[in-house]
């Protein structure tokens, strides 16, 4: 399949009335109501429908068909009339009111500025057109590590702002993790219409949660549209960085097929991401197994699984996707569960053709639908992770009334699908609160475990022999192939790179094995002009939203670079005091959130129990914190950039 076409501009009046009727009939009613409100912000249908609009956890709530039909009929008349109607310029108060109706709960005014950007209503700012802006020095060179979701975004923004930059990518194509991961069933577990760039909404997703190849095609389309490959050096590894205080430059060591070489850059944006450093699990005897052994991120498509006896180790995000995809074709599938994971019901599958048409042709539909997806997959879930100190729950299975409601929502799915398998129910249901660690999407996973050719082993694996896996009780399971859905090394945020900053400071030594800290998750004292993405305590683990975090962090990095130009400075780094104050606030806030729960054992925590990965803030709060650098929290190094090789 070819990459999607991203440029769809709806026009009025809509001439294809039959297609419009189908789109209105199958479209999301709450979203259609918002489209209508663009033209009639005071329509009485808002008040009439509001009591019937709820969250995904309230499936019993449904707009009565008579009201839904009135919305459809009114919209049909408006969208086909000639001359076409003019959409109302919604003020912030009106927008907040409409947003609250669309999701059936209050949406505060603080969300409006971010949502106008993220819904695609605001035209993205062009830094190159800012009045009085000092353009970047041609000698100032920026190096970006990685051409995945975040690295491509950085390239777009650097190019638009006129910076001299280059992207270093170890793979032969852009896409990062979505290029690398090709295992069967690979998918995104954030809703399609949310997981994209705010300035490049894709109205043509085939599924509400896209598979990996489809999202990779989206990134390819973005790379094509912005002509990004001309900035990328492919099949080249970054080995490390060293700050040269005499010249205020980073000396960067690269490696490719021809060997090692050095290049220089004034600033580095490390966008290599945390989910590309995989390794096989440390299981005794695994290296002696005679058959194929594959990690999901190192998939070998030449291995034929049809009819084979397959062992799969791991039942987290990649495991539930892989297992459900291969179970129908393998002879036997033995699943080894190392720890339990909550799975969330996933009722959304293929996007009907009529709804895809609506996304493309009905003005505002894709923008309003994106908000609904964002709310129920991200900040609308934030209360779910907040610990209510007055909440009493036996065995600590939940942390608040809201969290208990989500738990019951998930349990209904377990009980419905496993009603005839109490043995599986006993093995699968976790004892920690929902969202205590990464949640998984139930895309046929529980049904898969009920298949006759599938067997679930709960923490019984002892060691591996040449042709079998041996359990703790001594019994042997003969297998032909071992698949490892065992995740990534997240805690080493240096990614194996040697990073030497000012005064010879070694970032790996300062962070230790698994205790990284940074200012706003982006900058680090002693490492001038070194910018992290998905850095310490910046991951949006309360739900989805890495796309927003990437946009937020790249925006902040760009504003730091702009501050250098405006202040005739060569470099900046955060002060130790500002960094310590930020991290103290992070640690204190985390105490009141679900990841600090004693039963929540996850890769979000380091060995000492500190939550080092998760951001304790809503996406909207982090967005607000990163609009521009507070230069009082930074040390500016004066000087001009010189030409670098």
């Amino acid at each position: 399949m070819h990459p999607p076409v991203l440029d769809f501009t709806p026009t009025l009046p809509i001439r294809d009335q039959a297609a419009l009727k189908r789109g209105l009939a199958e479209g999301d009613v709450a979203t259609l109501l918002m489209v209508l409100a663009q033209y009639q912000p005071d329509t009485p249908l808002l008040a009439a429908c509001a009591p019937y609009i709820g969250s995904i956890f309230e499936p019993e709530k449904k707009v009565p068909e008579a009201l839904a039909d009135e919305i459809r009929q009114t919209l049909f008349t408006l969208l086909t009339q000639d001359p076409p109607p003019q959409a109302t310029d919604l003020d912030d108060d009106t927008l907040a009111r409409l947003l609250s109706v669309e999701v059936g709960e209050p949406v505060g005014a603080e969300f409006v500025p971010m949502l106008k950007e993220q819904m695609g209503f605001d035209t993205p700012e062009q830094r190159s057109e800012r009045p009085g802006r000092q353009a970047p020095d041609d000698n100032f060179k920026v190096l970006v590590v990685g051409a995945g979701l975040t690295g491509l975004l950085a390239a777009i923004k650097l190019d638009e702002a006129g910076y001299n930059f280059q992207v270093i990518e170890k793979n032969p194509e852009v896409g990062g993790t979505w290029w690398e991961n090709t295992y069967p069933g690979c998918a995104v577990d954030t809703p399609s219409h949310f997981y994209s760039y705010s300035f490049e909404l894709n109205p043509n997703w085939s599924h509400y949660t896209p598979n990996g190849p489809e999202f990779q095609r989206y990134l390819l389309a973005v790379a094509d549209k912005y002509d990004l490959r001309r900035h990328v050096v492919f099949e080249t590894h970054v080995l490390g960085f060293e700050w040269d205080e005499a010249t205020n430059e980073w000396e960067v060591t690269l490696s490719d097929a021809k060997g090692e070489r050095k290049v220089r850059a004034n600033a580095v944006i490390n966008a290599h991401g945390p989910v590309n450093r995989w390794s096989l699990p440390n299981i005794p005897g695994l290296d002696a197994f005679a058959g194929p052994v594959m990690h999901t991120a190192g998939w070998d498509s030449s291995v034929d699984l049809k009819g084979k006896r397959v062992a799969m180790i791991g039942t987290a995000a990649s495991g539930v996707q892989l297992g459900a995809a291969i179970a129908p074709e393998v002879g036997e599938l033995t699943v080894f569960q190392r720890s339990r994971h909550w799975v969330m019901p996933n009722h959304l599958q293929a996007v009907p053709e009529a709804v895809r048409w609506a996304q493309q042709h009905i003005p505002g539909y894709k923008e309003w639908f994106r908000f609904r997806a964002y709310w129920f997959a991200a900040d609308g879930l934030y209360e779910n992770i907040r610990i209510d100190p007055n909440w009493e729950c036996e065995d600590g299975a939940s942390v608040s009334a809201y969290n208990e409601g989500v738990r019951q929502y998930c349990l209904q799915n377990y009980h419905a699908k496993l009603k005839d398998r109490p043995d599986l129910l006993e093995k699968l249901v976790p004892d920690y609160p929902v969202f205590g660690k990464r949640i998984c999407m139930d895309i046929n996973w529980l049904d898969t475990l009920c298949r006759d050719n599938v067997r679930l082993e709960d923490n019984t694996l002892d060691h591996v022999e040449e042709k079998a896996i041996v359990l703790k009780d001594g019994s042997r399971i003969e297998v032909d192939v071992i698949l490892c859905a065992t995740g990534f090394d997240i805690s080493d945020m240096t990614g194996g790179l040697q990073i030497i900053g000012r005064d010879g400071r070694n970032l790996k030594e300062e962070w230790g094995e698994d205790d990284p800290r940074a200012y706003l998750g982006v900058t680090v004292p002693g490492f001038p002009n070194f910018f992290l993405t998905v850095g310490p305590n910046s991951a949006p683990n309360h739900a989805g939203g890495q796309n927003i975090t990437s946009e937020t962090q790249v925006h902040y990095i760009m504003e730091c670079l702009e501050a250098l130009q405006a202040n005739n400075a060569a470099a900046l780094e955060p002060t130790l005091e500002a960094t310590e104050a930020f991290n103290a606030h992070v640690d204190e806030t985390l105490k009141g959130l679900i990841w600090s729960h004693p039963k929540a054992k996850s890769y979000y925590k380091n060995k000492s129990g500190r939550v080092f990965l998760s951001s304790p803030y809503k996406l909207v709060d982090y967005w607000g914190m990163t609009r521009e650098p507070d230069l009082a929290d930074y040390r500016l190094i004066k000087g001009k950039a010189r030409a670098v090789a």
Side-chain angles (χ1 to χ4, degrees):
M1 295 178 65
H2 295 292
V5 177
L6 297 176
D7 293 321
F8 289 90
T9 303
T11 58
L12 295 180
I14 294 176
R15 304 296 187 187
D16 191 341
Q17 296 189 5
L20 176 58
K21 287 180 179 179
R22 290 192 295 270
L24 293 173
E26 298 186 37
D28 176 71
V29 174
T31 303
L32 292 173
L33 178 60
M34 295 301 106
V35 174
L36 173 58
Q38 292 177 147
Y39 303 100
Q40 300 177 359
D42 295 318
T43 174
L45 284 168
L46 287 166
C49 294
Y52 304 104
I53 298 175
S55 76
I56 58 173
F57 307 116
E58 301 174 291
E60 73 282 356
K61 281 196 169 186
K62 184 178 180 181
V63 175
E65 197 58 29
L67 287 174
D69 278 342
E70 188 175 350
I71 294 170
R72 297 181 186 115
Q73 291 167 9
T74 307
L75 264 181
F76 181 85
T77 300
L78 282 172
L79 299 178
T80 57
Q81 73 182 38
D82 196 359
Q86 295 296 312
T88 303
D89 187 11
L90 303 175
D91 60 52
D92 288 0
D93 290 341
T94 301
L95 185 56
R97 174 171 60 87
L98 296 180
L99 293 168
S100 299
V101 172
E102 187 181 8
V103 294
E105 57 185 291
V107 177
E110 71 273 15
F111 286 91
V112 170
M114 184 192 79
L115 289 174
K116 287 195 293 188
E117 171 195 279
Q118 284 297 318
M119 292 168 70
F121 284 141
D122 275 358
T123 302
E125 180 196 27
Q126 304 294 303
R127 286 181 177 84
S128 59
E129 298 176 1
R130 284 181 176 174
R133 178 209 187 217
Q134 183 168 326
D137 192 316
D138 288 341
N139 292 329
F140 189 92
K141 184 175 181 179
V142 183
L143 187 140
V144 180
V145 182
L149 173 74
T150 309
L152 292 177
L153 173 65
I156 291 170
K157 298 303 180 181
L158 287 164
D159 195 31
E160 181 278 320
Y163 281 87
N164 177 10
F165 73 99
Q166 191 171 65
V167 182
I168 307 298
E169 171 55 53
K170 70 179 186 297
N171 295 320
E173 181 55 283
V174 303
T177 190
W178 300 111
W179 183 89
E180 294 172 1
N181 283 265
T182 60
Y183 62 87
C186 177
V188 181
D189 54 11
T190 300
S192 310
H193 300 88
F194 171 30
Y195 192 66
S196 61
Y197 299 128
S198 62
F199 53 90
E200 287 297 349
L201 304 191
N202 177 18
N204 205 31
W205 294 111
S206 67
H207 286 71
Y208 286 105
T209 48
N211 59 37
E214 182 169 24
F215 191 76
Q216 171 65 359
R217 290 193 295 274
Y218 168 79
L219 292 178
L220 293 175
V222 171
D224 288 343
K225 178 175 178 178
Y226 291 90
D227 192 18
L228 298 180
R229 290 180 187 81
R230 63 192 166 94
H231 297 290
V232 184
V233 179
F234 290 106
E235 298 184 274
T236 301
H237 290 258
V238 177
L239 302 182
F241 316 93
E242 184 168 359
W243 181 250
D244 185 338
E245 294 182 53
T247 61
N248 293 322
E249 297 164 2
W250 285 100
E251 184 177 71
V252 185
T253 305
L254 306 178
S255 174
D256 59 18
K258 297 179 181 179
E260 291 187 12
R261 70 181 189 276
K262 307 280 189 181
V263 298
R264 286 182 168 258
N266 301 96
V268 169
I269 300 175
N270 191 1
H272 64 18
V275 290
N276 62 35
R277 299 179 293 279
W278 59 271
S279 60
L280 296 174
N282 185 21
I283 299 173
L286 185 63
D287 56 353
F289 183 68
V293 177
M294 288 188 288
H295 191 282
T296 50
W299 192 260
D300 183 353
S301 59
S302 69
V303 176
D304 184 7
L305 299 180
K306 189 173 183 179
K308 298 290 179 60
R309 298 169 299 181
V310 177
M312 186 181 77
I313 302 168
T315 55
S318 56
V320 302
Q321 294 172 1
L322 174 61
I326 65 174
E329 67 170 284
V330 302
E332 299 172 4
L333 176 62
T334 304
V335 178
F336 290 91
Q337 177 174 260
R338 302 189 300 172
S339 62
R340 304 184 186 198
H341 297 264
W342 282 103
V343 294
M344 178 81 74
N346 188 331
H347 306 297
L348 303 176
Q349 299 292 329
V351 181
E353 187 62 37
V355 176
R356 292 168 69 178
W357 186 94
Q359 291 269 353
Q360 296 169 19
H361 296 281
I362 296 179
Y365 187 97
K366 68 179 183 296
E367 290 82 4
W368 288 103
F369 191 82
R370 178 178 172 88
F371 163 66
R372 192 164 165 81
Y374 148 80
W375 191 258
F376 294 132
D379 278 352
L381 288 172
Y382 187 81
E383 287 304 313
N384 172 64
I385 66 163
R386 198 194 300 270
I387 298 173
D388 179 355
N390 298 315
W391 176 250
E392 296 182 3
C393 179
E394 185 178 354
D395 298 327
S398 59
V399 297
S400 66
Y402 191 117
N403 186 247
E404 177 64 20
V406 177
R407 177 174 174 269
Q408 291 301 324
Y409 175 72
C410 293
L411 283 174
Q412 289 173 11
N413 185 52
Y414 280 94
H415 287 291
K417 292 188 173 181
L418 304 178
K419 60 182 182 297
D420 298 324
R421 294 293 305 272
D423 59 317
L424 288 178
L425 196 62
E426 183 178 351
K427 291 179 179 179
L428 288 168
V429 176
D431 65 350
Y432 61 86
V434 178
F435 280 92
K437 57 184 178 181
R438 183 177 179 181
I439 202 164
C440 302
M441 294 292 106
D442 180 20
I443 304 177
N444 300 322
W445 175 237
L446 297 183
D447 293 331
T448 294
L449 292 174
C450 293
R451 292 177 58 95
D452 292 339
N453 69 329
V454 177
R455 167 182 177 179
L456 177 67
E457 290 289 337
D458 184 22
N459 200 24
T460 59
L461 194 159
D462 185 76
H463 66 276
V464 178
E465 295 181 348
E466 184 180 7
K467 296 183 179 180
I469 289 181
V470 182
L471 306 186
K472 292 178 179 178
D473 64 5
S475 58
R476 299 172 73 255
I477 301 176
E478 293 193 355
V479 295
D480 304 309
V481 181
I482 297 177
L483 307 178
C484 301
T486 48
F488 302 85
D489 181 8
I490 303 291
S491 60
D492 179 9
M493 285 197 167
T494 62
L497 302 176
Q498 177 167 284
I499 305 170
I500 307 299
R502 181 172 50 78
D503 300 325
R505 300 171 67 164
N506 185 308
L507 190 57
K508 174 67 175 176
E509 293 178 358
E510 294 199 4
W511 280 354
E513 183 180 355
D514 60 359
D515 196 28
R517 295 179 184 266
Y519 175 73
L520 289 174
V522 178
T523 55
V524 184
F527 296 83
N529 286 5
F530 185 76
F531 302 101
L532 301 164
T533 62
V534 203
N537 294 113
S538 70
N541 293 139
H542 62 285
Q546 181 52 52
N547 52 305
I548 292 184
T549 298
S550 292
E551 289 194 29
T552 294
Q553 292 182 329
V554 168
H555 170 89
Y556 184 77
I557 293 167
M558 293 298 302
E559 292 304 295
C560 286
L561 297 180
E562 293 289 286
L564 292 179
Q565 310 303 320
N567 289 276
N568 295 313
L572 54 70
E573 62 175 274
T575 65
L576 180 62
E577 294 76 15
T579 305
E580 289 180 341
F582 172 76
N583 281 278
H585 189 267
V586 164
D587 290 344
E588 185 62 28
T589 307
L590 284 167
K591 291 177 183 178
L593 300 180
I594 199 168
W595 309 304
S596 297
H597 192 282
K599 288 187 175 181
K601 296 177 174 60
S602 74
Y603 64 82
Y604 301 165
K605 293 180 177 179
N606 64 13
K607 291 180 181 178
S608 67
R610 187 180 81 83
V611 179
F612 73 90
L613 183 67
S614 307
S615 169
Y617 308 112
K618 295 178 183 176
L619 289 168
V620 67
D621 293 335
Y622 190 62
W623 184 91
M625 294 160 64
T626 52
R627 289 305 83 202
E628 60 182 9
D630 183 349
L631 295 184
D633 290 342
Y634 278 90
R635 170 179 174 260
L636 290 178
I637 301 173
K638 292 295 184 177
K640 275 291 187 179
R642 68 181 186 89
V644 298

